[in-house]
Amino acid sequence: MTKKSTAEEQPQQTAKAGDGGIAVTGGIHAGRDVIMGDQYNDFRQQVARIETPAEFVAQLQALQRELAALKEQAGLPPQQAKEIEVVEENVQQALEEAQKPEPLGARITSTLSGAKGVMESLSGSVKAAVGLGAVLAQLIQVAFKLFG
């Protein structure tokens, strides 16, 4: 005996493109992971696996690329672009310190903390800043672990 589907049991599904996203009405069934919004889960997982100063340097360089892409975002007001440049400078200073033969952990963590503060101030107006601020927080913890 087979059951017949009725229109009442099957919700109507529609999708519209707008504002760079898709609005869906009706039922959504996800079989695995669902990522919503601007999330930097992969980047965070990579930061969590850092074990050596060389890996730390590589992640700071990856963060620099993310910041450069954020700064080039269409419609970004000049003031926010300048604030992202401040963060880029802080990350560059932390990178230079981490590459020294005897890096000062306190200098790295304080510089990254300053960058994190600026990213948090942007988080209300630049959605991607929230994720990068969280990445900076993780990098501060890793720097403390690696460099003291």
Side-chain angles (χ1 to χ4, degrees):
M1 178 174 184
T2 60
K3 184 177 178 183
K4 293 184 180 180
S5 297
T6 64
E8 194 171 294
E9 293 174 331
Q10 298 284 330
Q12 183 182 5
Q13 298 179 5
T14 60
K16 312 182 265 191
D19 297 329
I22 296 176
V24 178
T25 58
I28 298 175
H29 303 282
R32 260 203 48 92
D33 300 332
V34 176
I35 297 177
M36 299 169 60
D38 291 325
Q39 295 184 11
Y40 288 84
N41 291 333
D42 185 51
F43 203 174
R44 289 181 192 170
Q45 290 170 357
Q46 290 175 12
V47 170
R49 291 190 298 261
I50 294 174
E51 297 289 330
T52 66
E55 291 172 340
F56 181 76
V57 167
Q59 286 304 314
L60 285 177
Q61 291 168 337
L63 178 60
Q64 285 180 315
R65 290 188 294 276
E66 291 286 334
L67 289 167
L70 180 61
K71 191 171 69 175
E72 298 302 317
Q73 194 176 51
L76 189 67
Q79 179 60 33
Q80 291 175 345
K82 286 180 184 178
E83 291 177 13
I84 293 171
E85 287 175 6
V86 169
V87 174
E88 286 179 313
E89 290 171 14
N90 285 345
V91 171
Q92 180 61 37
Q93 290 172 3
L95 179 63
E96 290 169 3
E97 185 66 33
Q99 291 174 323
K100 290 182 178 178
E102 298 281 329
L104 298 174
R107 185 173 292 159
I108 294 169
T109 56
S110 68
T111 304
L112 291 177
S113 292
K116 178 180 167 278
V118 174
M119 289 307 288
E120 287 174 348
S121 72
L122 286 172
S123 66
S125 54
V126 181
K127 286 196 284 186
V130 175
L132 291 176
V135 169
L136 279 163
Q138 277 189 295
L139 284 168
I140 292 166
Q141 292 175 346
V142 171
F144 187 73
K145 178 179 82 171
L146 291 175
F147 304 108

